[in-house]
Amino acid sequence: MQQILIDTDPGVDDALAILFAMLSPELHIEAITTVCGNAPVAQATQNLLTILSVLDLDQFPVIAQGEAAPLVKPLVTAAHVHGEDGLGNISQLRNADGSLLYRPANTEVSSITGIDLILEMAARYPDELVIVTLGPLTNIAKAIRKDAPKMRHLRKIIVMGGVFEAYGNVTTTAEFNIFVDPHAAHEVFHFGVPVHIAPLDATHQVVLTGERLHAEVDKRDSPVSRFLKDSTQACMEFYRQHVGFWGFHIHDALPIGMLTHPDYFESVNAYVQVETEGTLTSGMTVADLRRERQSSNPNAQVCIKVAAEAFLDHFFERLQ
Ligand code: RIB
Ligand code: CA
């Protein structure tokens, strides 16, 4: 059983990734920390509680709220993609009697900070804990700043973020998680703990169409499937209008799949740097991924290829 901490900015694709992880028996989701990103961190924390309410849990991961602002840059959120509430506006859905269709789970948010929960878990599971980051890397960078010796004992950090040989999704050159906090990404990538990156180059290979999603949802009638349908409508409409297809990329599900079915993913070693000051290129991840140029001192593995259809089948096998 792999000991996992998820750091997240839910976020519609974060929601699907969290459900995927919680429904994967290989993984023990010991703790979940929230970070500012798709939504302000207080909203992200409320969204996490709502996501967990969809599952019939008798035991919850420890939850703690993380940083409200990036290390240096002003916060940029993504309501235009994920809805005003960050979860596809499901907070507007009502039952016939007018009550909320989706309510936060009946569990506590820890009184300690996200950073302190990360450090507590790193100390509890030395050389075993894997941190999966689904949002900006602010919490991880601040945990390293606060207690680097503890963080050195992380087994691995799996990062959804960056883009290398394709266009960005915020600017031409930058992917959202790195764009929001490039300084944090720089510090994490150069800290020395093994880093495995799932960039847009990989996540864009997985195309979840609205037709496929609805077909899968219609096969089941479960709280998870109903949440899948309800939470993704706004995001898929954004994609229809701005990306060119009705559906979306389940970016954040890939790091989870890299743990549950690693054989579906191919990666290369690389020396990854982050542009933190560029006027046009702030948040750009820079690495030479050509096999003949593989770095002699790599600081990360970068996923470059996904068995997309097999991964989607695996994803839906879990989200029942
Ligand atoms: O660029 C995609 C990433 O940014 C995903 O993690 C999405 O949830 C947003 O946080
Ligand atoms: Ca995210």
Side-chain angles (χ1 to χ4, degrees):
M1 178 84 81
Q2 300 186 64
Q3 298 299 344
I4 309 294
L5 180 146
I6 295 176
D7 188 70
T8 178
D9 64 333
V12 172
D13 61 321
D14 301 69
L16 275 54
I18 291 163
L19 293 174
F20 180 18
M22 295 293 294
L23 293 167
S24 291
E26 310 88 332
L27 309 180
H28 181 239
I29 313 303
E30 182 76 22
I32 304 178
T33 50
T34 57
V35 67
C36 59
N38 287 321
V41 71
Q43 182 67 55
T45 306
Q46 281 305 302
N47 290 346
L48 174 59
L49 294 175
T50 301
I51 295 159
L52 294 176
S53 75
V54 170
L55 298 170
D56 182 20
L57 295 176
D58 50 22
Q59 191 172 8
F60 287 85
V62 181
I63 295 166
Q65 181 165 304
E67 294 301 295
L71 295 185
V72 175
K73 299 276 187 184
L75 176 60
V76 171
T77 56
H80 59 296
V81 181
H82 296 269
E84 285 309 312
D85 64 2
L87 266 190
N89 296 324
I90 61 169
S91 55
Q92 296 171 6
L93 300 178
R94 294 287 184 276
N95 292 306
D97 64 2
S99 61
L100 284 176
L101 183 57
Y102 292 98
R103 312 177 66 82
N106 182 24
T107 188
E108 293 297 312
V109 175
S110 169
S111 57
I112 67 172
T113 65
I115 291 168
D116 285 342
L117 181 56
I118 289 166
L119 291 172
E120 188 178 302
M121 289 299 138
R124 184 179 302 174
Y125 297 104
D127 305 321
E128 193 182 349
L129 184 71
V130 174
I131 291 184
V132 179
T133 68
L134 309 180
L137 292 167
T138 315
N139 288 344
I140 315 306
K142 283 209 164 177
I144 290 169
R145 286 182 176 187
K146 184 167 186 179
D147 193 332
K150 273 203 185 101
M151 293 295 276
R152 286 221 183 281
H153 286 283
L154 292 179
R155 181 160 158 251
K156 180 167 35 175
I157 304 173
I158 305 180
V159 174
M160 191 280 130
V163 60
F164 296 92
E165 298 176 337
Y167 287 114
N169 59 0
V170 181
T171 65
T172 307
T173 59
E175 175 280 327
F176 181 81
N177 289 335
I178 310 301
F179 177 82
V180 168
D181 199 338
H183 297 85
H186 169 79
E187 292 185 18
V188 171
F189 291 170
H190 294 283
F191 176 53
V193 163
V195 170
H196 199 167
I197 299 172
L200 295 183
D201 310 67
T203 66
H204 282 172
Q205 293 175 33
V206 183
V207 176
L208 175 53
T209 63
E211 291 83 0
R212 173 71 188 272
L213 180 88
H214 285 199
E216 292 289 348
V217 165
D218 293 346
K219 282 180 194 171
R220 327 150 165 81
D221 182 25
S222 67
V224 168
S225 66
R226 288 193 294 274
F227 177 85
L228 282 183
K229 193 165 192 173
D230 292 340
S231 63
T232 55
Q233 298 312 303
C235 194
M236 293 204 292
E237 195 49 43
F238 173 86
Y239 270 66
R240 188 208 307 270
Q241 292 177 31
H242 301 282
V243 182
F245 71 97
W246 183 54
F248 68 118
H249 293 300
I250 46 174
H251 304 287
D252 289 338
L254 270 75
I256 306 302
M258 286 157 72
L259 288 166
T260 59
H261 232 299
D263 53 319
Y264 286 162
F265 301 86
E266 183 186 328
S267 302
V268 293
N269 291 322
Y271 183 68
V272 177
Q273 302 180 79
V274 182
E275 175 55 64
T276 57
E277 304 308 327
T279 306
L280 300 175
T281 57
S282 179
M284 182 176 182
T285 42
V286 181
D288 191 328
L289 301 186
R290 290 173 292 183
R291 287 188 187 283
E292 65 277 16
R293 298 289 187 90
Q294 282 211 7
S295 166
S296 55
N297 65 325
N299 62 349
Q301 282 187 292
V302 176
C303 180
I304 54 168
K305 188 155 178 45
V306 191
E309 288 314 307
F311 169 66
L312 269 178
D313 292 343
H314 170 56
F315 172 77
F316 280 113
E317 279 161 17
R318 295 289 165 92
L319 270 79
Q320 294 293 331

